[in-house]
């Protein structure tokens, strides 16, 4: 072979190429660095031709320099979501983990589970979301996309993908959802009047007249309820959320109680005392203000079911159209109808969209906010007859005729 027939020399740093007789393929190799023991880190690529082997090698080197793990080109969407659920969700409430898992199994795995992350494109995700939008509302679409986005975000951070294309996708509008609503002042008065006598009445009164979240009412303990102080007030320091914390740090607040709520809570004390005496040793005292008939904590589905049963007693109200959360919405409407400034309403319900001064103030020890109690007292009158007659109970206790007394 003369000089004119010699192959041109490859550029320095491109790597070496050899023929592998066993594999019947060309193999290109390149040293890309050294590990902690000083051992060479070698990347290889193979192909039927030298050019193909070099192309494969360059891709391996590029992935290494981008921080990708060796098997990144085979990592799928299903693996990414499963890893996210197993590791990044391990400190979340079991219910939250189940909800994320259900979203994955229903909407992500069937359509994208086998797709490799490196091959996924924003255009196909747009089409996928458009398909889901025919059956899901915007809130559900946001949750589904959030599961996928966070899963891929974790995969990128751990070298399984180079970029998160899910971040490029926008959430479509989806099907019209169930609009939130609130009771009018007249409807609120009808609910308070007509549910009296139902065991849910005190729960409804406290929710409607203080604006507490449903999880805050369910977690309310008697040691945080002060009925004999001036003014009577409640300390909203816990919730039924995972870990017992309120939704945000700014949700911790101390609220004065309107007279109608004080009366309802005294009724609740009497109801619990009667249940404690009747059930005897079966009573489980958790110190909660609102419980089942055995003293155990209420579940959200139990509250929703019995709330709707209580509303069956209210003329003109369709129970199926209302949820306990809308008592909180109704409180906001009543406050607005009474002319309470929006900033003050935000403080009462524990929202975070307040001014900077308000935000700083809320991080300090909260004083008793009396605005809500004053406005509620102007709307709702204290019932002439208490919701629970305590005298027969006291008579039974004196005669020791109640089981377990």
């Amino acid at each position: 072979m003369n000089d004119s027939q010699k192959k041109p020399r490859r550029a320095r740093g491109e790597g070496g190429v050899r023929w592998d007789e066993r594999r019947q393929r060309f193999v290109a190799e390149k040293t890309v660095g050294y590990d902690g023991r000083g051992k060479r880190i070698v990347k290889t690529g193979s192909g039927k031709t030298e050019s193909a082997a070099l192309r494969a090698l360059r891709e391996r080197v590029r992935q290494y320099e981008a921080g990708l793990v060796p098997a990144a080109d085979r990592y799928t969407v299903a693996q990414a979501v499963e890893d996210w659920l197993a590791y990044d969700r391990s400190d979340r409430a079991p219910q939250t983990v189940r909800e994320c898992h259900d979203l994955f199994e229903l909407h992500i795995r069937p359509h994208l589970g086998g797709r490799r992350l490196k091959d996924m494109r924003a255009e196909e995700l747009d089409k996928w979301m458009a398909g889901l939008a025919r059956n899901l509302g915007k809130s559900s679409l946001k949750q589904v996309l959030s599961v996928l986005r966070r899963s891929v975000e974790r995969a990128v951070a751990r070298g399984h993908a180079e970029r998160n294309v899910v971040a490029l996708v926008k959430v479509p509008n989806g099907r019209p959802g169930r609009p939130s609503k609130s009771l009018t002042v007249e409807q609120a008065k009808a609910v308070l009047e007509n549910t009296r006598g139902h065991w849910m009445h005190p729960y409804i009164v406290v929710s409607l007249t203080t604006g507490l979240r449903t999880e805050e009412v369910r977690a309310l303990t008697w040691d945080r309820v002060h009925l004999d102080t001036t003014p009577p007030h409640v300390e909203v320091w816990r919730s039924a959320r995972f870990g017992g914390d309120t939704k945000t740090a700014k949700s911790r607040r101390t609220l004065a109680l309107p007279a109608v709520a004080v009366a309802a809570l005294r009724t609740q004390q009497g109801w619990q005392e009667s249940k404690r005496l009747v059930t005897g040793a079966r009573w489980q005292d958790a110190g909660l203000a609102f419980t089942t008939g055995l003293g155990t904590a209420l579940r959200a589905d139990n509250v929703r079911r019995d709330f709707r049963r209580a509303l069956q007693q209210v003329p003109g109200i369709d129970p199926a159209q209302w949820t306990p959360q809308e008592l909180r919405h109704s409180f906001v409407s009543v406050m607005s109808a009474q002319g309470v400034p929006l900033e003050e309403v935000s403080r009462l319900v524990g929202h975070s969209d307040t001014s900077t001064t308000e935000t700083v103030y809320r991080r300090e020890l909260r004083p008793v906010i009396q605005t809500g109690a004053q406005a509620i007292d102007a709307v709702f009158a204290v019932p002439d007859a208490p919701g629970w007659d305590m005298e027969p109970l006291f008579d039974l206790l004196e005669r020791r005729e109640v089981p377990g007394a």
Side-chain angles (χ1 to χ4, degrees), residues 173-331:
N173 286 328
R175 292 180 55 188
R178 176 184 176 277
S180 62
K181 54 188 179 298
S182 61
L183 298 165
T184 64
V185 171
E186 290 71 24
Q187 286 175 322
K189 288 181 177 179
V191 167
L192 294 189
E193 178 63 30
N194 289 279
T195 58
R196 192 177 301 166
H198 193 281
W199 81 267
M200 277 290 291
H201 178 71
Y203 188 103
I204 293 171
V205 172
V206 171
S207 300
L208 181 57
T209 62
T210 62
L212 268 63
R213 296 180 175 91
T214 56
E215 65 266 25
E216 293 170 345
V217 182
R218 286 188 286 122
L220 187 63
T221 53
W222 285 117
D223 62 333
R224 298 299 183 186
V225 177
H226 306 281
L227 302 180
D228 299 317
T229 60
T230 304
H233 62 277
V234 60
E235 297 164 345
V236 187
W237 291 359
R238 297 179 65 253
S239 81
R241 299 170 67 86
F242 184 64
D245 292 330
T246 52
K247 187 172 184 179
T248 67
K250 298 169 189 175
S251 295
R252 287 189 75 174
R253 58 204 188 278
T254 303
L255 303 173
L257 290 168
V260 66
V262 173
L265 285 166
R266 292 196 187 283
T267 294
Q268 181 65 10
Q269 287 178 328
W271 180 84
Q272 279 193 350
E273 184 62 26
S274 70
K275 290 296 182 181
R276 182 184 294 108
L277 293 172
V278 170
T279 56
R282 290 182 298 154
W283 179 264
Q284 301 178 40
D285 194 353
L288 294 168
F290 297 98
T291 64
T292 66
L294 292 174
T296 56
L298 294 168
R299 297 202 315 266
D301 55 340
N302 297 144
V303 172
R304 183 167 53 253
R305 178 198 63 206
D306 290 330
F307 170 66
R308 287 172 173 167
R309 288 177 178 173
L311 288 187
Q312 292 175 358
Q313 303 173 186
V314 185
I317 296 288
D318 181 3
Q321 299 300 315
W322 296 90
T323 66
Q325 177 65 16
E326 285 160 338
L327 294 172
R328 175 175 164 87
H329 298 172
S330 302
F331 171 81

Side-chain angles (χ1 to χ4, degrees), residues 119 138 193:
D119 298 329
K138 189 162 187 176
E193 178 63 30

Side-chain angles (χ1 to χ4, degrees), residues 89 92-101 242:
R89 299 279 92 184
R92 301 294 177 177
Q95 177 64 26
T96 301
V97 176
R98 283 195 297 272
E99 289 173 357
C100 292
H101 186 271
F242 184 64

Side-chain angles (χ1 to χ4, degrees), residues 8-29:
R9 181 183 178 88
R10 286 185 296 276
R12 185 177 297 276
E14 192 175 36
V17 181
R18 59 181 173 82
W19 173 255
D20 189 318
E21 188 67 30
R22 182 180 63 83
R23 298 172 61 190
Q24 292 292 298
R25 298 176 73 87
F26 287 96
V27 177
E29 297 179 340

